[in-house]
Amino acid sequence: MFIDPDINGIYAENDEMALGAVTALKGAGKEPGDIKIVSVDGTRSAVQSIADGWLYAVIESNPRFGPLAFETARKFLDGEPIPDKVIISDRDYDTTNAKDSLGEAY
């Protein structure tokens, strides 16, 4: 497998891609932290990979927004006022919080 020797970072659109990159890097003889990998999702396995040193950061795309979405839709359909903006709070995981936040990742 060829890994560009000048590469120093990887952006993955989801955690599965990031974990696939980790597998490729391991196969190429790289060590944890040699290449910074950032991903989007927030799965438990990706947060664990941060704790293990393979991933640099993960930005959560939380799938648990369903109740908020349905409550907002219900209010709208019932003619109740709803805010102009409904903000879904996601988290960011990195080396400073991955171990302590592992139980909160989905």
Side-chain angles (χ1 to χ4, degrees):
M1 164 174 294
F2 172 76
I3 300 287
D4 184 334
D6 296 327
I7 191 170
N8 60 12
I10 296 173
Y11 166 76
E13 188 61 32
N14 63 42
D15 290 347
E16 289 78 16
M17 290 177 174
L19 296 172
V22 168
T23 300
L25 293 172
K26 287 178 180 178
K30 297 291 184 179
E31 296 294 325
D34 284 351
I35 297 175
K36 290 181 170 60
I37 303 172
V38 176
S39 179
V40 176
D41 269 343
T43 61
R44 185 165 290 148
S45 56
V47 176
Q48 181 64 57
S49 289
I50 296 171
D52 295 342
W54 283 101
L55 266 62
Y56 183 72
V58 173
I59 304 304
E60 181 181 66
S61 179
N62 193 322
R64 298 178 182 129
F65 64 87
L68 176 61
F70 280 98
E71 179 64 18
T72 303
R74 184 199 58 76
K75 286 180 180 179
F76 175 78
L77 293 172
D78 290 345
E80 296 178 35
I82 56 173
D84 291 337
K85 293 181 183 181
V86 177
I87 299 174
I88 299 169
S89 297
D90 290 327
R91 300 181 54 156
D92 57 293
Y93 299 99
D94 60 23
T95 57
T96 66
N97 65 8
K99 287 181 184 177
D100 293 336
S101 301
L102 190 58
E104 299 167 28
Y106 64 94

